Amino acid sequence: MTSQDLVDQIRAKRSFLCVGLDTDITKLPDSIAGRREAIFEFNKAIIDATADLCVAYKPNLAFYEAIGARGWEQLDKTVKYIREKYPRILTIADAKRGDISNTAALYARSIFQHLGFDAVTVAPYMGRDAVQPFLDYQGKWAIVLALTSNSSYDEFQLLPIAGTPPRPLYQEIVQRSRQWGHEGNMMYVVGATRAEMLKEIRKLAPDHFLLIPGVGQQGGSLAEVVKHGMNRQCGLLVNSARGIIYADRGPRFAQAAREKALELQREMEGYLREAGIVQG
Amino acid sequence: MTSQDLVDQIRAKRSFLCVGLDTDITKLPDSIAGRREAIFEFNKAIIDATADLCVAYKPNLAFYEAIGARGWEQLDKTVKYIREKYPRILTIADAKRGDISNTAALYARSIFQHLGFDAVTVAPYMGRDAVQPFLDYQGKWAIVLALTSNSSYDEFQLLPIAGTPPRPLYQEIVQRSRQWGHEGNMMYVVGATRAEMLKEIRKLAPDHFLLIPGVGQQGGSLAEVVKHGMNRQCGLLVNSARGIIYADRGPRFAQAAREKALELQREMEGYLREAGIVQG
């Protein structure tokens, strides 16, 4: 999927919402829990209820690995379902992978070829050759962790790198990694809870898409994210997981998920109008 | 598994060898390739041929994920096989995981409870709360990436952190992360190709075990690793994967793997004697 495809989707749907399919087998509605493919059935219902309101789906692989081979099968079915029924929606494997190049090449094969995702989150600590194998796939994306939304993010990400003036590690990572790829095959993860730092990342990567987790349950504000992070083509994918998929645990969970997604989409439409990215 | 169990194994086997079960389905001997559980059968043969010569097995999860649910099942069988037949051998999931705490808790559950590994490699970039869930398991280990063996390791790991004097990021990571756990539940990954830097890490973590990949195919020298990294109780786990498991691609692959492992074990025994860790 190209950057232009993504921009077209954002304009058409008036949304830059990414729905996090962090499907926890212990939190499924009674109407589904216990079925053989409960996770897939839950995802399918959530997807059908939200597909016209979002431009991306992002399963975090931990939730699937947590139940072993059976989880892997249901992840596979989930991605295939999105690709077949909603082929214009970006699929992101939130895997945070990072390993030496021959191993990274296997992760890339697994995530892009075997599972068929469009994009994957990657950890930067090992440097370029741990990310390059993901960039070697035409039409696929590597999304590099820059600033994360967890509470101990500052322990290393804000360490000052010696220089005049010193600057925090996360900025050094964005600055250097920009040269690994381009705006059409790389994005950055920037936690919504760090909105004030989005400004700095926007200076370093004015045209890259930024994937923003942490809005909602983790306390990030959409307004702040937009203020500091939106560019002329939007340039944002804002993820919400728990706030949408667990909006209701009863039999109307899918409808409740739709309502939460719709709230976010409407708020996003307002920002896209204000920025002149969509009209009317 | 406790630190003392590991030291006891090292003394008993006169070895600090870790065998990397990086089993690539495209590189199996003809006698096994094509069978339904080819990867597990290969692993089983390698394990039976080397179990008296090594103290740890380390499958890299990428090799299993690369073939999806079927790979996951064979990883599961491999770990169960080791635990049942060779329960005193440490099992390490080379997964390099790192995610926000609720997600890290799922990875920990998957790797420690579901798959039953004793240890897991983790990425440090997100800070303490991405590692804490692994440390919360009694008798299990988190192995934090400090210095990796890939060629672009220096891009970020050697960045100078401002201070008097400035010191490289990897040292800052070892220094700070030491406080997350203790010598009985944390280790560090230090690439064998960075042997000269092992000295610095030993100063910061004198009593921790260090897991050393990169000996053999990646060019690291065992003598250099021992010189700079061994402590009074050994404190080293040296991994070899391709050099052992693909020593021969014909029907005698297991015997050839044993011969390579034996070469390394004998060299290790010499170093353990010189250091007075074993006698005779």
Side-chain angles (χ1 to χ4, degrees):
Chain A
M1 181 172 300
T2 69
S3 171
Q4 191 56 51
D5 293 338
L6 204 47
V7 172
D8 290 346
Q9 276 292 291
I10 289 170
R11 290 215 172 98
K13 290 178 170 170
R14 298 170 174 248
S15 169
F16 43 97
L17 178 62
C18 173
V19 174
L21 296 172
D22 298 352
T23 309
D24 186 335
I25 197 161
T26 65
K27 293 183 184 166
L28 297 177
D30 292 342
S31 54
I32 280 186
R35 291 197 205 164
R36 200 191 148 351
E37 297 198 321
I39 288 183
F40 171 64
E41 289 187 38
F42 178 81
N43 287 349
K44 187 167 167 297
I46 295 283
I47 292 163
D48 287 335
T50 57
D52 60 321
L53 303 172
C54 71
V55 296
Y57 287 108
K58 180 175 76 63
N60 186 310
L61 270 51
F63 290 82
Y64 300 84
E65 291 185 23
I67 59 161
R70 214 156 41 93
W72 205 262
E73 280 163 13
Q74 293 178 82
L75 176 64
D76 193 26
K77 288 192 78 162
T78 299
V79 185
K80 284 198 172 59
Y81 184 74
I82 299 167
R83 287 171 61 84
E84 275 163 30
K85 196 148 175 210
Y86 309 103
R88 304 183 68 180
I89 296 185
L90 185 79
T91 51
I92 303 170
D94 196 357
K96 301 186 177 70
R97 297 297 192 254
D99 210 318
I100 64 171
S101 58
N102 72 328
T103 309
L106 284 172
Y107 278 129
R109 196 205 296 168
S110 161
I111 289 169
F112 291 155
Q113 285 190 262
H114 188 93
L115 292 168
F117 279 100
D118 298 307
V120 61
T121 56
V122 294
Y125 189 64
M126 295 176 74
R128 181 180 196 141
D129 68 17
V131 174
Q132 191 63 48
F134 296 100
L135 298 172
D136 289 342
Y137 280 78
Q138 200 69 29
K140 303 283 185 179
W141 298 78
I143 311 179
V144 178
L145 297 186
L147 270 171
T148 57
S149 59
N150 60 317
S151 60
S152 59
Y153 82 106
D154 56 346
E155 200 165 3
F156 300 127
Q157 295 166 26
L158 299 193
L159 283 177
I161 305 303
T164 332
R167 64 173 176 183
L169 176 59
Y170 79 91
Q171 291 182 23
E172 199 73 28
I173 282 175
V174 173
Q175 173 77 10
R176 291 181 182 233
S177 63
R178 276 192 54 184
Q179 291 141 39
W180 302 346
H182 51 74
E183 298 83 356
N185 68 0
M186 276 181 71
M187 304 187 190
Y188 291 97
V189 173
V190 187
T193 40
R194 320 291 163 224
E196 70 288 359
M197 297 173 197
L198 259 170
K199 252 192 299 196
E200 302 304 320
I201 290 180
R202 261 295 167 235
K203 281 187 212 157
L204 296 168
D207 299 321
H208 284 74
F209 265 96
L210 306 178
L211 172 63
I212 318 277
V215 162
Q217 298 276 330
Q218 291 180 54
S221 144
L222 182 54
E224 288 291 302
V225 166
V226 168
K227 181 176 164 195
H228 299 300
M230 190 175 268
N231 68 15
R232 285 168 312 158
Q233 298 213 296
C234 180
L236 294 171
L237 295 175
V238 171
N239 186 71
S240 176
R242 286 171 274 176
I244 292 177
I245 70 173
Y246 302 133
D248 190 299
R249 304 280 179 85
R252 63 180 295 285
F253 70 94
Q255 181 56 31
R258 176 173 180 78
E259 284 156 17
K260 286 288 176 191
L262 191 59
E263 270 175 38
L264 281 166
Q265 181 274 323
R266 284 188 178 146
E267 193 180 346
M268 289 175 176
E269 181 170 358
Y271 298 127
L272 289 168
R273 277 211 188 106
E274 279 172 34
I277 295 167
V278 300
Q279 268 81 45
Chain B
M1 182 172 298
T2 69
S3 172
Q4 191 56 51
D5 293 338
L6 203 48
V7 172
D8 290 347
Q9 277 291 292
I10 289 170
R11 290 214 171 99
K13 289 177 170 170
R14 299 169 174 249
S15 169
F16 43 98
L17 178 63
C18 173
V19 174
L21 296 173
D22 298 352
T23 309
D24 186 335
I25 196 160
T26 66
K27 293 183 183 165
L28 297 177
D30 292 341
S31 53
I32 280 187
R35 292 197 203 164
R36 198 189 150 353
E37 297 198 319
I39 288 183
F40 171 64
E41 289 188 38
F42 178 82
N43 287 349
K44 188 168 167 296
I46 296 284
I47 292 162
D48 288 335
T50 57
D52 59 321
L53 304 172
C54 70
V55 296
Y57 287 108
K58 179 176 75 64
N60 186 309
L61 270 50
F63 290 81
Y64 300 85
E65 290 186 22
I67 58 161
R70 216 158 38 94
W72 204 263
E73 280 164 12
Q74 293 179 80
L75 175 64
D76 193 26
K77 288 192 77 162
T78 299
V79 185
K80 284 197 172 60
Y81 185 75
I82 299 167
R83 287 170 62 82
E84 276 164 28
K85 195 146 174 211
Y86 309 103
R88 303 184 69 178
I89 296 185
L90 184 79
T91 51
I92 303 169
D94 196 357
K96 301 185 176 70
R97 296 297 192 256
D99 210 318
I100 63 171
S101 58
N102 72 327
T103 309
L106 283 171
Y107 279 128
R109 195 205 296 169
S110 161
I111 289 169
F112 291 154
Q113 285 189 263
H114 189 93
L115 292 168
F117 279 100
D118 298 307
V120 62
T121 57
V122 294
Y125 188 64
M126 296 176 73
R128 180 180 197 142
D129 68 19
V131 174
Q132 191 63 48
F134 297 99
L135 297 173
D136 289 342
Y137 280 79
Q138 199 69 29
K140 304 284 185 179
W141 297 79
I143 311 180
V144 177
L145 297 185
L147 271 170
T148 57
S149 58
N150 60 317
S151 60
S152 59
Y153 82 106
D154 56 347
E155 201 165 1
F156 300 126
Q157 295 167 25
L158 299 194
L159 282 177
I161 304 303
T164 332
R167 63 173 177 185
L169 177 58
Y170 78 91
Q171 290 182 24
E172 199 72 27
I173 283 175
V174 173
Q175 173 77 9
R176 291 181 183 233
S177 62
R178 274 192 56 183
Q179 290 141 40
W180 302 345
H182 51 74
E183 299 83 357
N185 66 1
M186 276 182 71
M187 304 186 189
Y188 291 97
V189 173
V190 187
T193 40
R194 319 292 163 225
E196 70 289 359
M197 295 172 197
L198 260 170
K199 251 191 301 198
E200 302 304 320
I201 290 179
R202 261 296 167 233
K203 280 186 212 157
L204 296 169
D207 299 321
H208 285 74
F209 265 95
L210 306 178
L211 171 64
I212 318 277
V215 162
Q217 300 275 330
Q218 291 180 53
S221 144
L222 182 54
E224 288 292 302
V225 166
V226 168
K227 182 176 163 195
H228 299 299
M230 189 174 268
N231 67 15
R232 285 167 311 157
Q233 298 213 296
C234 180
L236 295 171
L237 295 175
V238 170
N239 186 70
S240 176
R242 287 172 272 175
I244 292 178
I245 70 173
Y246 302 133
D248 190 299
R249 303 279 179 85
R252 61 180 297 286
F253 70 93
Q255 181 57 31
R258 177 173 180 78
E259 285 156 17
K260 287 289 175 190
L262 191 60
E263 271 175 37
L264 281 167
Q265 182 274 324
R266 283 188 179 146
E267 193 180 346
M268 288 175 177
E269 181 169 358
Y271 298 127
L272 289 168
R273 277 213 187 105
E274 280 171 34
I277 296 167
V278 301
Q279 268 79 45

